[in-house]
Amino acid sequence: LSIFINPLAKYLYIAMLALYFSVAVIVAARFDVKSFKRYARLVLTFFVLHFSYGSGYLKGVWDFYAMNLTPSAKSEQLTR
């Protein structure tokens, strides 16, 4: 929430996003991609993968540490 209040935090957040996408573009360029459409999808896939993993991690931290919740019986089962 500080990105909405503090201008410095907003610029740091934008710089971090720009750095992330720059690195994603560079890493995607190292793969042998035949078309621009597949290249763009690969960069988008990096973002979706990291965003979903990070949001799940933050939800777990919030549930287990901040809210003192325990996992449900279904969540405790091994899913692999």
Side-chain angles (χ1 to χ4, degrees):
L1 292 174
S2 67
I3 62 170
F4 300 113
I5 298 169
N6 188 345
L8 178 62
K10 179 173 68 172
Y11 292 123
L12 286 173
Y13 181 73
I14 291 170
M16 285 176 29
L17 281 178
L19 178 65
Y20 174 82
F21 279 107
S22 299
V23 170
V25 166
I26 291 168
V27 170
R30 297 184 74 189
F31 288 94
D32 187 26
V33 181
K34 305 289 185 209
S35 68
F36 179 76
K37 187 176 181 180
R38 292 184 87 179
Y39 179 76
R41 284 183 181 171
L42 184 59
V43 172
L44 181 63
T45 302
F46 289 157
F47 175 73
V48 169
L49 178 76
H50 287 111
F51 181 79
S52 60
Y53 188 87
S55 61
Y57 181 82
L58 290 175
K59 183 184 181 318
V61 167
W62 177 258
D63 287 347
F64 300 130
Y65 294 112
M67 301 300 289
N68 262 347
L69 298 176
T70 58
S72 66
K74 184 178 180 182
S75 297
E76 285 182 344
Q77 293 176 353
L78 185 62
T79 58
R80 292 177 248 165

